[in-house]
Amino acid sequence: MCQPFCEKAPPRRRRFVLDKTMRPSLLDPFFAPLAALPGVGPKTAKAFDRLLRENARVIDLLFHAPVDLVDNRLSPTIADAPIDRHVVFAARVVEHRNQARRGGAPFTVLVEDETADVALVFFRTNPDWVARALPVGEIRWIAGDLKLWNGYRQIAHPQIYDAAAYQKLRAFEPVYGLTEGLHQRNVAKAVEAALSRAPQVPEWLAANTARRLDGLAFVEALRAVHAPAKLADLSPEAPARKRLAYDELLAQQLALRLVRARMRHVKGLSARGDGRIAAKIEAALPWSLTNAQRAALKDIRADMAREEKMLRLLQGDVGSGKTIVALLAMATAVESGRQAALMAPTEILARQHFERMAPLAETAGMRLALVTGRDRPAERRASLEGLRDGAIDIAVGTHALVQEGVAFRDLALAVVDEQHRFGVHQRLALGEKGAAADVLVMTATPIPRTLVLSYFGDMDVSNLTEKPAGRTPVKTVTMPLERIGELVARVGAAMEQGARCYWVCPLVEENETLDLAAASARYEDLRQHFGARVGLVHGQMKGKDKDAAMVAFQRGETQLLVATTVIEVGVDVPEATIMVIEHAERFGLAQLHQLRGRVGRGAGQSSCILLYKGPLGETAKARLSILRESDDGFRIAEEDLRLRGEGEILGKRQSGAPGFHFADLAVHAGLLRLARDEAAAALDADPALADETGRALRLLLYIFGQDEAAPLLRAG
Ligand code: ADP
Ligand code: MG
């Protein structure tokens, strides 16, 4: 099959397309199954699969870096050996205490040197074996974790070496993360075998970058990572880890650029509006657009008019007004005689978008359909039909939009709202519903610049830096849970004045059932106080009931809405002015900021009460005080990154977030910038990755699995 883009490719500048079947055989040893290593039987291989990934390969093992190290060098004396660390010392065996071993009493062997003694204890061991290994009167080398037990030194299940065996020990041994069925020595042995088979790969780094990274070659760095000789070697700043982190980032930046180049290369169709629909929508708005909104629209429209595919991120803090930007951009698509789609992460949000947009769209003459997983079959058939034949201009929906069976006559623009909830694949899948659709992703959790680069490469970014006028900042206070009675009274008084209030209950250990129990209990409790004015919405409710609860709150039929975090994203009830977040200490900063953004949408003074359960740890304290001080989503996101590391900021619930083995963006932001520049320079100089460095860079891509970013690579 001819790739859709090859006919348009300028003949001499062919681009490199990753393909697993083209993997150079030089790399085969890295991609061999682990069972191919000596000493790894089928059972051990299974355990490795659990530890590393399904069908783990040699390279996965090599990327499993040690988390600690053991120092086998002789401790000077027992008296000097540090407690609670792994120690090794020589000692004379003094005595076996093999009393009647009732009730699981351990077999104990006392050993000593001239400074002190240590009890070696063995639970449920064969006493004959112990007696043979530790003959009274002999010197043995003992290795293990030294503990103090009732004031006496003790080591449970030490390793025992005679002089000859001790000579053969490595001075330092790495300590690996394990899983059931694996021991340190299984991993160490397999790693050793893997390293001995590692092929020599050519250097892919530019000479000056390699120098900056201490001149360590890739395989050398792998060896060094698995042979730590001091604690500093385990740090992400250690030269070997830095080199591998850099390689990992470089591979990712290259892959992102390749995808991007391909997307750009697909001749998009130019979508040029004449402004007639957008003008009607703007005229119907009770306010005028902010300058930031205008600027973002200008960027988007310029991209859409170009005959290249757009891939743009629209970042705007909560309440900055992204929705209207999306609607006006979609209007441009419709003006050009084509279609648009908007995908939201939750049912509630999709419905809210639909309900907000429908009246505006209809005044302007656009036809909208809602597509979720919950449509009645007849409705669904009608919507799908309309999208196919073009009777419908705009589809608003959930991920149901990217399912099979949904087809457009001519999709020009795909908008993905609150994109951090979607995986890379879903995000781009919507764009694939059109032959050459432009893609606009909108994010409310401002993503720190370092993360944008890492997740989106050189994606274009528009920022809504300015919030609509007339907003009063939300007053934020913290309050210990013990004072909840006082809070309930205050909320009650505000409700008497007509106030509307969200009351958010947290996720409990990511367990939906417990989560729900907490929210239901609070709901019952608040109903005791306020009766029918209290509503409840949570993730496990039927969609219909969820809608009903939201609508009742929107209309003011209920004034207090108890919710789990389902309301976190995007919900817009401008009349709500109070946000209570229970167990605020369990939420991440960015999430708290999101939740707080649900209030302060109208002109009135809003407040956010962070109820916490003390005592607070240092990090929790820091989080809550940042939130009290700042209303700037970007600053909050940066702080969040600093306090939590990038893994968490996008949320564990997110699927498709690329995990790194070595790169840690909280530490390696500088490396990321360097990698981005190097990737750009390499591809500018050699877009087909065909010259010597280019061919080496291809190896890098395979090694870091970037050929498996298939959804990404297919998204052209
Ligand atoms: P978000 O960026 O969080 O998705 P929304 O698009 O939901 O924000 O907008 C938040 C609120 O601000 C909505 O009620 C919306 O109608 C309103 N809004 C958007 N743009 C403006 C503007 N230029 N002036 C005044 N209000 C605006
Ligand atoms: Mg929104």
Side-chain angles (χ1 to χ4, degrees):
M1 194 193 81
C2 177
Q3 292 94 332
F5 49 88
C6 60
E7 53 188 296
K8 278 136 194 164
R12 284 189 41 253
R13 284 170 67 90
R14 291 250 333 270
R15 285 177 191 280
F16 169 56
V17 179
L18 282 162
D19 177 348
K20 206 179 320 223
T21 60
M22 288 164 33
R23 189 175 63 214
S25 57
L26 171 68
L27 297 181
D28 288 351
F30 282 141
F31 290 90
L34 279 179
L37 294 174
V40 181
K43 239 172 103 185
T44 314
K46 272 232 173 66
F48 273 123
D49 283 359
R50 275 201 301 279
L51 179 70
L52 302 169
R53 54 169 270 176
E54 241 172 274
N55 300 318
R57 304 141 320 162
V58 168
I59 192 72
D60 302 310
L61 176 66
L62 291 175
F63 285 170
H64 186 57
V67 290
D68 198 358
L69 83 163
V70 153
D71 185 345
N72 281 326
R73 289 169 307 173
L74 202 57
S75 308
T77 61
I78 293 176
D80 286 344
I83 303 296
D84 286 329
R85 285 219 35 104
H86 188 94
V87 297
V88 185
F89 55 88
R92 199 170 54 84
V93 180
V94 180
E95 184 187 354
H96 293 181
R97 290 186 188 152
N98 187 18
Q99 316 101 327
R101 292 166 63 234
R102 299 154 281 114
F107 188 124
T108 303
V109 176
L110 199 69
V111 302
E112 65 172 22
D113 66 5
E114 43 309 337
T115 62
D117 57 15
V118 181
L120 309 179
V121 298
F122 300 86
F123 298 88
R124 291 198 260 154
T125 323
N126 176 357
D128 296 338
W129 175 84
V130 176
R132 264 202 314 278
L134 292 163
V136 173
E138 301 276 314
I139 301 284
R140 286 293 180 269
W141 277 262
I142 311 294
D145 290 328
L146 183 63
K147 301 275 177 207
L148 264 195
W149 189 257
N150 288 338
Y152 295 101
R153 290 184 182 78
Q154 170 178 311
I155 299 178
H157 293 263
Q159 285 118 45
I160 304 153
Y161 307 96
D162 60 19
Y166 179 73
Q167 289 308 318
K168 284 193 230 142
L169 270 190
R170 289 161 68 182
F172 302 98
E173 281 180 70
V175 175
Y176 294 96
L178 294 177
T179 186
E180 200 189 323
L182 277 182
H183 300 281
Q184 291 298 343
R185 62 175 182 287
N186 299 129
V187 184
K189 265 183 148 163
V191 167
E192 205 176 318
L195 283 172
S196 73
R197 283 147 192 245
Q200 274 313 318
V201 293
E203 181 57 83
W204 42 70
L205 297 186
N208 57 344
T209 326
R211 260 198 312 279
R212 279 176 77 158
L213 294 164
D214 288 344
L216 270 179
F218 172 72
V219 175
E220 239 183 306
L222 273 178
R223 279 186 219 288
V225 158
H226 289 284
K230 53 186 180 308
L231 285 174
D233 292 343
L234 302 167
S235 137
E237 308 262 34
R241 295 208 179 204
K242 253 171 101 169
R243 160 78 209 224
L244 296 178
Y246 185 78
D247 284 338
E248 186 165 41
L249 291 167
L250 180 60
Q252 191 211 33
Q253 291 302 311
L254 277 171
L256 282 166
R257 278 205 163 245
L258 287 166
V259 173
R260 182 98 168 115
R262 234 176 107 175
M263 293 189 75
R264 280 246 159 102
H265 211 72
V266 179
K267 265 222 162 147
L269 294 167
S270 153
R272 234 180 260 277
D274 54 14
R276 86 201 120 86
I277 300 180
K280 282 189 201 150
I281 294 174
E282 275 194 61
L285 293 173
W287 26 258
S288 53
L289 297 178
T290 64
N291 289 329
Q293 285 169 321
R294 278 183 213 290
L297 267 169
K298 201 170 149 218
D299 291 344
I300 295 166
R301 286 180 175 143
D303 282 356
M304 289 175 68
R306 237 177 291 192
E307 303 219 329
E308 283 170 343
K309 275 177 92 160
M310 169 175 79
L311 185 54
R312 181 171 286 276
L313 183 66
L314 177 61
Q315 285 201 135
D317 204 353
V318 277
S320 59
K322 293 180 293 295
T323 319
I324 191 67
V325 174
L327 182 66
L328 290 168
M330 294 198 291
T332 300
V334 177
E335 286 164 8
S336 76
R338 305 175 62 202
Q339 291 166 298
L342 170 69
M343 180 165 75
T346 65
E347 190 80 43
I348 288 183
L349 202 54
R351 204 159 280 271
Q352 175 186 287
H353 277 318
F354 178 76
E355 275 153 17
R356 294 264 140 106
M357 289 181 172
L360 282 169
E362 269 151 32
T363 355
M366 298 192 290
R367 293 148 300 179
L368 243 63
L370 180 67
V371 178
T372 73
R374 287 177 21 219
D375 314 323
R376 283 195 223 98
E379 268 170 20
R380 183 174 170 82
R381 258 197 312 280
S383 309
L384 295 192
E385 179 73 39
L387 290 173
R388 225 181 338 255
D389 67 17
I392 291 169
D393 301 306
I394 294 178
V396 176
T398 57
H399 59 269
L401 278 174
V402 297
Q403 271 147 22
E404 266 175 63
V406 180
F408 292 81
R409 186 176 63 81
D410 183 13
L411 183 67
L413 174 65
V415 184
V416 183
D417 192 16
E418 315 290 356
Q419 57 72 39
H420 70 291
R421 287 301 182 88
F422 292 105
V424 172
H425 177 65
Q426 282 173 315
R427 205 189 293 147
L428 295 168
L430 185 60
E432 285 180 72
K433 293 281 177 185
D438 290 322
V439 177
L440 177 69
V441 295
M442 307 199 292
T443 172
T445 304
I447 305 178
R449 189 69 200 148
T450 49
L451 282 181
V452 172
L453 286 177
S454 122
Y455 286 90
F456 305 101
D458 62 345
M459 186 178 205
D460 298 311
V461 179
S462 296
N463 279 321
L464 295 182
T465 41
E466 159 200 18
K467 287 194 185 177
R471 301 274 166 88
T472 351
V474 179
K475 206 154 76 197
T476 303
V477 296
T478 51
M479 190 183 270
L481 201 55
E482 291 77 40
R483 282 170 56 194
I484 192 168
E486 195 183 315
L487 175 64
V488 169
R490 269 161 53 184
V491 167
M495 281 164 65
E496 288 303 322
Q497 308 293 313
R500 263 178 260 173
C501 169
Y502 293 106
W503 190 298
V504 178
C505 300
L507 274 167
V508 181
E509 297 172 1
E510 303 263 318
N511 176 327
E512 286 198 2
T513 316
L514 288 179
D515 188 13
L516 176 55
S520 307
R522 182 59 66 212
Y523 169 70
E524 291 306 332
D525 177 43
L526 290 167
R527 260 183 101 89
Q528 302 275 318
H529 288 94
F530 307 122
R533 286 183 291 164
V534 184
L536 173 68
V537 61
H538 59 74
Q540 289 182 4
M541 272 160 87
K542 285 220 193 76
K544 202 161 50 71
D545 301 335
K546 248 192 265 182
D547 294 345
M550 284 312 300
V551 167
F553 185 63
Q554 247 153 19
R555 295 199 183 133
E557 293 158 15
T558 55
Q559 281 177 272
L560 197 166
L561 185 64
V562 179
T564 54
T565 45
V566 291
I567 63 149
E568 176 190 341
V569 175
V571 168
D572 187 25
V573 180
E575 296 84 359
T577 53
I578 302 174
M579 168 63 67
V580 177
I581 304 173
E582 212 175 305
H583 280 297
E585 79 282 359
R586 293 190 193 159
F587 290 90
L589 252 187
Q591 210 181 0
L592 289 171
H593 180 65
Q594 279 289 300
L595 285 167
R596 177 172 62 179
R598 300 303 116 220
V599 295
R601 306 198 140 213
Q605 175 65 58
S606 290
S607 38
C608 174
I609 298 96
L610 304 171
L611 266 184
Y612 66 87
K613 175 115 178 63
L616 291 177
E618 284 308 311
T619 310
K621 248 186 231 160
R623 265 183 207 168
L624 296 186
S625 71
I626 288 161
L627 211 71
R628 249 189 343 238
E629 283 160 26
S630 178
D631 188 33
D632 173 353
F634 282 85
R635 175 170 168 229
I636 289 171
E638 296 284 357
E639 290 291 333
D640 207 17
L641 181 66
R642 202 174 54 73
L643 290 171
R644 311 209 298 167
E646 85 279 1
E648 276 179 84
I649 199 168
L650 291 156
K652 282 209 200 82
R653 280 168 293 169
Q654 183 204 24
S655 60
F660 288 115
H661 294 285
F662 300 104
D664 175 349
L665 294 178
V667 181
H668 296 137
L671 290 186
L672 176 61
R673 274 189 291 277
L674 201 62
R676 193 177 57 124
D677 294 346
E678 182 160 355
L683 284 172
D684 284 349
D686 178 18
L689 294 183
D691 67 15
E692 202 182 324
T693 308
R695 284 199 308 276
L697 284 169
R698 290 184 184 212
L699 299 177
L700 171 71
L701 288 167
Y702 285 109
I703 286 173
F704 280 95
Q706 290 295 357
D707 56 319
E708 295 199 342
L712 254 179
L713 292 168
R714 263 191 272 112

